[in-house]
Structures are given as C-alpha cells and as structure tokens.
Amino acid sequence: PPKVLPRGKTHVTVLNGNGIAGAAAQAAALIKARGYRVGEVTNAPRTGYSRTLVMYRPNFRREAVRLHQDLDMGTVGPLDGMKTSPLLGLFTCR
C-alpha cells in the first residue's frame, strides 16, 4: 500500500464558517503544532456552520484520518472534486 505522507508534507487549508473571530487562526495554530503544513487560513463568506469536517482529495484519506485523530475532532469525508473556495467551515487535506 502507498505510504502515508509525513505530517510535514501534508498541506491543510483552514476555513472558518462558525462566525467566531479568530477561530480559523486558532485551528491553524493547533494544526501547525502537530506538524502539518498550513496553507490558506481565512474566514468563510458565510457563517452558521457548527461542526468541523476534515475533507480530503482522492488518495489522501489516510492523511485526513490521521489529522482527525490528531485533533480529536470533526468528521472525515471526501472532497469529491470540489474546490476549497465553496467549502465553508472545513479543514481540508491536500
């Protein structure tokens, strides 16, 4: 089976859709502290999302599951070809 990318080579985009100022930066700090590479960190254009999702691109499920376990939060699901821009309130692995 293919190897799981090391945390330092796993890129994560953090989007905040919960409406709490600084939530994306706080989540990004947690992710960085666990050794991941954090890319874009921003607020989503809408708010009202209450749960965290760890979304992953094809072939990166194991990295997403590891991130989910490292953070002890969220639900893991495939990105299914979507671009990150329309995803609100999500962590995404790429």
Side-chain angles (χ1 to χ4, degrees), residues 5 12 19 21 26 28 36-37 41 47 51 59 70 73 85 94:
L5 282 177
V12 181
Q26 184 179 11
Y36 293 90
R37 296 184 67 182
V41 178
T47 61
R51 65 181 192 161
N59 301 316
D70 285 349
M73 69 169 92
S85 57
R94 63 177 171 108

Side-chain angles (χ1 to χ4, degrees), residues 15 44-46 49 79 81-90 92:
L15 302 175
R46 296 185 328 178
Y49 295 88
L79 197 54
M82 296 172 61
K83 296 187 183 299
T84 56
S85 57
L87 299 173
L88 307 175
L90 310 177
T92 61

Side-chain angles (χ1 to χ4, degrees), residues 56-88:
Y56 59 91
R57 292 182 187 195
N59 301 316
F60 292 98
R61 182 180 188 286
R62 291 183 296 160
E63 289 82 0
V65 168
R66 181 184 60 208
L67 175 62
H68 161 75
Q69 292 170 340
D70 285 349
L71 297 175
D72 192 29
M73 69 169 92
T75 302
V76 179
L79 197 54
D80 288 336
M82 296 172 61
K83 296 187 183 299
T84 56
S85 57
L87 299 173
L88 307 175

